[in-house]
Structures are given as structure tokens and as C-alpha cells.
Amino acid sequence: MAEHDLIETPSANENANADPVVIGARKLTIEEVVAIAHHRAPVALSADPAWRARIQRGADFLRRHLAAGATVYGVNTGYGDACVVDVPMDLVEALPLQLTRYHGCGMGRHLDDAQTLAVIAARLNSLAYGFSGVRPVLLERLADLINHRVLPRIPSEGSVGASGDLTPLSYVAAALAGEREVMFEGRLRDVRDVWSELGHAPLTLAPKEGLALMNGTAVMTGLACLAFARADHLTRLTARLTALSTVALDGRAAHFDAMLFEVKPHAGQAEAAAWIRDDLSGRDDTPGHRLQDRYSIRCAPHVIGVARDALSWVRRDVENELNSANDNPLIDPDNERVLHGGNFYGGHIAFAMDSLKVAVANLADLMDRQLALLVDVNFNNGLPRNLSGAAPARAAINHGFKAVQISSSAWTAEALKNTMPASVFSRSTEAHNQDKVSMGTIAARDCLRVLELTEQVAAAHTLATVQAARLRLKIDSATPIPAPLQAFIDSVSAQSLFVDEDRALENELRALTARIAACELLHDYRGGANA
């Protein structure tokens, strides 16, 4: 089959009945990228003839422009500081593959499957914007990577976030060109063999196609989409754990009265307070052991609210980047112009991820403080020491959640340590051509690490708080447990039994952390993404 033939790629997605996410002539959402990344939806290129014709016009104009003797950066010139070097016409066709090869120097761990798919989806959507001068067949092959799960092995380290994510994206470009290894059907394979099995020849990259694939913000943007979804879920989980901690500590529902949040009208904290209030619906508002609960309970909406409000503008900036033409130069097919600029600069993603990781780390700190109250007999209002469920005769040798709280504190400390902003550490690279860079990809990776640690804290807090609520019921069987909290307790208890005798909790913590990272712990998740 010829490279220029347009075909619809069949889906190898495990959810074969899912509606595909349409790419081209429309804007993509974070949730759609997450669905693609987690195999919940295949992709399909737009069937709009006008959109397809526009993509082809961009590639055709670029060909004509070069044939007329025009000079276009990265097409018939060298790259970066070598933009002053003219490339002879007989070498122009070879230049894109050279770009992919010399950038094959990534290091660090490889992106996982979901991250790789998110990156490819982000690159595909940007090129489908229609300002990159690529052929339709290139978009088709990117869709093939997603739908057949032909996953380039993308090292996570090596990008400074301008001129885009060159080194990691070179692994995507190389896979299309038939070089390097990919993961396919659970095995590491030579990509040429995979393309052969799928009935395709590797692409010969046209002028600018190597640059168009690599010179953009797809890695940081794809990772940012995943980070957003996980942070969104964590805010909701932290609110639920606050409500359950209030019950376990025999605390006060009055701290979440709507009037409190009407007179300090930050939308995020009002939203968080409403979630907690709903979860405590029907709880008696009579003061418990204290007229005012400690800050980690009483002020929880104010902490969670900062993250909620941050997510609103983080969504704006991530989705703007996702739905942008962010390579260089841009090819305007309508006015037949070549625009040399700097849209590969990832400053908005860098700042969004630097900010989000701070908000998420504060959630870790909040949950860790709540957990510290629950295990401490000086502050937990009558619960057993360290939440041990041991019988009196065995209490002296049982330590319950003591070590879990220590581990939670360690994970919290590491999350807080990782909040140093990456975006302020710009480096001058590439003979001072890239002399101010975004560090957006490092910021996104840092944010994912903070999320990972915070999800571990959330898992520890979840197990401990469910244990604490069950212990409160043992002390007073009349303790009201509102229906949403009881359903949550039952869901967690199905995978982690009541801790009466000490046991190793690692496997239960790992399983719960995986559910949290996949945004699957809250069955009534108000975002609708994991019902």
C-alpha cells in the first residue's frame, strides 16, 4: 500500500464498542486524552473533507515553496544554531531522518503505556490543527500507533521544553520511520516487523515531517493531561477522607456550614465544603469533644479549595496547549505563508505543572496531619492507640497503624521536597540558540512524582480512616455513618479487612494506591470519569 493512500485504521482497543475520539476540525479535552491513554477509546481522524483537504494543501504548498527556491528553517537548512547552514536539495529528503537519529539519546525510565499514548494523542492533535505542513498519511500513522498500541519506548529524560520535546519525541518519529524498538502486544519488538504485520511500510518522512513531529510540546502536554485527572480525583478523595475523619474523630459538621463559605467566596473551597457537607448529611451537629476541631479538619476545605481553583486555570492552559499548533516553522496553507516563531516554548505547561504540584503536595500534608490525629491517643478522642483493633489481652504487642503513619510522613516529606519549581531553572543550550527554555517536561514529570507520593499518602489515610470509623462504631454503635461514607467504607473493606492483629499492609496499600492513581476509588466520583 502506498504511503499516500488514506485509510481508516481499525481499532485494536479492548473496548471495541467505545465511540472513537475524533481528531481534526475540533478541540480535544483533557478527559478525551485520558480516555485514549487508558484504552477507553480509540481515535478516528475527522471525516470532514474540508479539513482533510486543508491538511493536504499545507503539504502541497510547502513542496511548491521549496521548489521555488525558498529557504525554510529545518527543511533546507540545518537545525538550531545551524540554521545558517544551507542543505543542498539532494539532501533535503534525508534531513528529517537525520534529525530523529541524532536525538536518540534519551535517558531515565521509559514512559509507561498510558503516558506514551497521551503523548502521541497530544502530538497528533497538534499536527491535525493544520499549520504544520505534514501529509494526511502522517496523521493516519500516528492514529495507527494509538489504535494498535504500537508504543515507542520513550525515555523520560532529555528535554528542556524548548525547542519542544525534541529528544523524547524523536522516538515517536523514529517509530514511524521504521527505526528503534516498540512495545507491541506485551513484547519489545523491532518496529519494522510490527509495521509489516499491520500491513504497512515504514514512512519515508517528507521535508519538515521529522521537525513537525519533534518540535512541539506533546510530551509535557500529554503528561499534564494525566496529572490534571489524577489531581482532580485527589481533591475529591481528600474531601471524602476529611468527612470520614470527622466521623471517626467525633468531630463537628458545623465547620462546613454553607454560610461560612458564602462570606469568603472562593469557588474551590465552597465546592470542597459542599462535598464534605453532603458526605456528613444527617450527622448531629452537637459539639463533640471540642467546640472547634483542629485545623487539618476544620480548614480542610480551604486547603482543598486552593487545588480546586488552581485546577480551573490549569485546565485552561493545558487545553489551550493541547489544541495549538506548537512546532516551528508553521505553514499557513490558506495564505501560503511560512511563519518562523517560538510556539514550541512550553512556559504555560511548565508554570501550570509547577503550581499544581504545590497544590497537590499540600493535599498530602493535609492528609498526613489528619492521619497523625487519628493514631494519637492524645488527639483522637478515645480511639485506641495507633488504631489497633487488637483484643485487650493482645493490645500490648499490637501496634496497628504506627508504621503506616511513619511511612505516610516520609512520603509527605518527599512530596513537599519535590515542589521546587522547575521552570526557574532555565538553561542555555545548543550554542546559545536555545538560551531561554521552559523546563516544562521536567515540571510535568515532577508533578507526576508528587502525585504518586500523594496517592500513597491517600492510600494510607484511607485504610487508617476506615479502620478508625469502624473502631468508633465499636465504641458507640449508635454513631451515625451517612450513606456515602458507609458505601466508601464497604468498598475499601472489601479489599482490606479490619486490622485486629498486626499484619503487613504493603500489598493492600499498593492495590489501593493503584485504584487511586487510576481515579477508580470513588464510585460516585463527581467528575464522571470513573463511575
Side-chain angles (χ1 to χ4, degrees):
M1 181 174 293
E3 289 177 3
H4 61 272
D5 290 342
L6 286 177
I7 62 166
E8 291 300 330
T9 310
S11 172
N13 197 282
E14 62 196 27
N15 190 353
N17 296 319
D19 291 334
V21 174
V22 176
I23 305 290
R26 62 178 293 273
K27 289 189 174 181
L28 205 59
T29 67
I30 287 172
E31 286 74 18
E32 287 173 320
V33 172
V34 173
I36 293 166
H38 290 292
H39 311 310
R40 293 197 293 266
V43 299
L45 296 185
S46 172
D48 180 2
W51 171 78
R52 288 180 175 261
R54 189 173 187 279
I55 296 294
Q56 186 64 54
R57 283 205 313 276
D60 292 343
F61 161 63
L62 181 59
R63 284 280 189 185
R64 292 197 311 272
H65 196 57
L66 292 173
T71 298
V72 180
Y73 167 75
V75 179
N76 53 8
T77 76
Y79 298 114
D81 74 310
C83 65
V84 296
V85 177
D86 293 329
V87 175
M89 283 304 295
D90 62 330
L91 294 178
V92 165
E93 297 288 345
L95 187 59
L97 191 57
Q98 291 297 112
L99 178 68
T100 71
R101 286 172 172 167
Y102 82 81
H103 273 286
C105 57
M107 293 292 285
R109 70 169 187 83
H110 292 93
L111 300 186
D112 64 27
D113 289 2
Q115 292 166 351
T116 301
L117 287 166
V119 166
I120 299 169
R123 196 76 223 117
L124 172 59
N125 196 58
S126 178
L127 298 181
Y129 198 93
F131 278 87
S132 298
V134 301
R135 296 165 300 161
V137 69
L138 184 75
L139 307 183
E140 295 285 354
R141 290 298 173 270
L142 285 168
D144 282 335
L145 293 181
I146 293 171
N147 290 336
H148 292 290
R149 298 184 207 163
V150 181
L151 303 182
R153 296 277 282 163
I154 304 176
S156 59
E157 298 170 7
S159 173
V160 293
S163 179
D165 290 315
L166 290 167
T167 289
L169 286 175
S170 77
Y171 290 79
V172 177
L176 295 180
E179 297 195 354
R180 303 182 199 171
E181 293 180 315
V182 295
M183 290 298 296
F184 181 65
E185 296 181 341
R187 293 189 295 127
L188 195 60
R189 300 279 305 280
D190 182 278
V191 71
R192 282 187 171 272
D193 294 338
V194 174
W195 284 128
S196 178
E197 288 179 24
L198 295 177
H200 300 307
L203 282 180
T204 298
L205 297 175
K208 193 181 178 293
E209 286 184 342
L211 191 61
L213 284 162
M214 294 166 52
N215 185 224
T217 60
V219 176
M220 66 181 83
T221 303
L223 298 184
C225 289
L226 299 178
F228 179 96
R230 289 166 67 177
D232 182 57
H233 182 253
L234 270 173
T235 59
R236 299 163 193 273
L237 178 57
T238 307
R240 172 143 297 170
L241 291 172
T242 297
L244 191 56
S245 295
T246 300
V247 171
L249 291 166
D250 196 19
R252 297 200 63 194
H255 298 319
F256 313 108
D257 189 285
M259 179 61 72
L260 285 165
F261 302 93
E262 290 172 10
V263 298
K264 188 177 182 182
H266 293 295
Q269 70 181 28
E271 184 179 36
W275 294 339
I276 298 168
R277 193 165 57 247
D278 289 349
D279 279 350
L280 293 174
S281 178
R283 180 171 172 78
D284 186 2
D285 202 30
T286 303
H289 295 266
R290 289 169 58 94
L291 179 62
Q292 295 190 142
D293 292 331
R294 289 174 171 82
Y295 282 18
S296 62
I297 301 296
R298 186 176 9 138
C299 298
H302 306 75
V303 178
I304 301 167
V306 173
R308 292 302 305 168
D309 284 329
L311 284 167
S312 66
W313 67 261
V314 167
R315 174 188 287 279
R316 178 201 68 197
D317 286 0
V318 171
E319 289 189 342
N320 276 343
E321 194 75 33
L322 177 65
N323 293 289
S324 70
N326 49 62
D327 56 297
N328 174 59
L330 296 182
I331 307 300
D332 177 0
D334 299 320
N335 299 296
E336 296 198 339
R337 293 196 301 161
V338 176
L339 304 168
H340 291 88
N343 281 10
F344 48 70
Y345 193 88
H348 280 81
I349 296 294
F351 188 71
M353 292 296 96
D354 276 349
S355 301
L356 187 59
K357 68 188 179 188
V358 171
V360 169
N362 266 298
L363 298 180
D365 198 34
L366 178 72
M367 289 186 282
D368 184 57
R369 293 301 84 216
Q370 292 178 353
L371 176 53
L373 294 179
L374 289 166
V375 300
D376 193 330
V377 291
N378 296 301
F379 304 111
N380 66 15
N381 299 330
L383 295 175
R385 187 183 304 276
N386 297 310
L387 303 179
S388 172
R394 303 270 303 170
I397 63 169
N398 274 275
H399 293 79
F401 283 76
K402 177 189 281 287
V404 170
Q405 191 274 323
I406 295 170
S407 292
S408 174
S409 184
W411 302 326
T412 300
E414 188 170 347
L416 296 172
K417 179 183 75 68
N418 277 298
T419 57
M420 176 71 75
S423 55
V424 298
F425 285 94
S426 175
R427 313 296 301 151
S428 184
T429 65
E430 207 251 321
H432 299 293
N433 178 57
Q434 301 176 15
D435 60 346
K436 174 61 177 168
V437 294
S438 76
M439 297 295 179
T441 311
I442 295 173
R445 289 195 291 108
D446 283 351
C447 188
L448 288 174
R449 177 57 178 157
V450 170
L451 280 159
E452 181 179 39
L453 290 161
T454 303
E455 287 158 353
Q456 292 172 190
V457 174
H461 189 12
T462 297
L463 292 186
T465 310
V466 167
Q467 174 89 355
R470 296 176 73 175
L471 288 167
R472 181 62 65 187
L473 283 170
K474 285 179 175 288
I475 294 170
D476 181 2
S477 61
T479 299
I481 307 289
L485 298 184
Q486 187 60 59
F488 182 75
I489 291 170
D490 293 343
S491 173
V492 174
S493 298
Q495 288 191 305
S496 180
L497 299 176
F498 181 75
V499 181
D500 48 6
E501 282 285 316
D502 289 347
R503 65 174 185 267
L505 292 173
E506 177 188 346
N507 290 340
E508 289 157 72
L509 285 166
R510 287 188 182 276
L512 193 55
T513 299
R515 288 179 66 188
I516 294 168
C519 304
E520 293 175 350
L521 184 56
L522 300 183
H523 294 294
D524 59 343
Y525 179 35
R526 298 164 178 88
N530 69 331

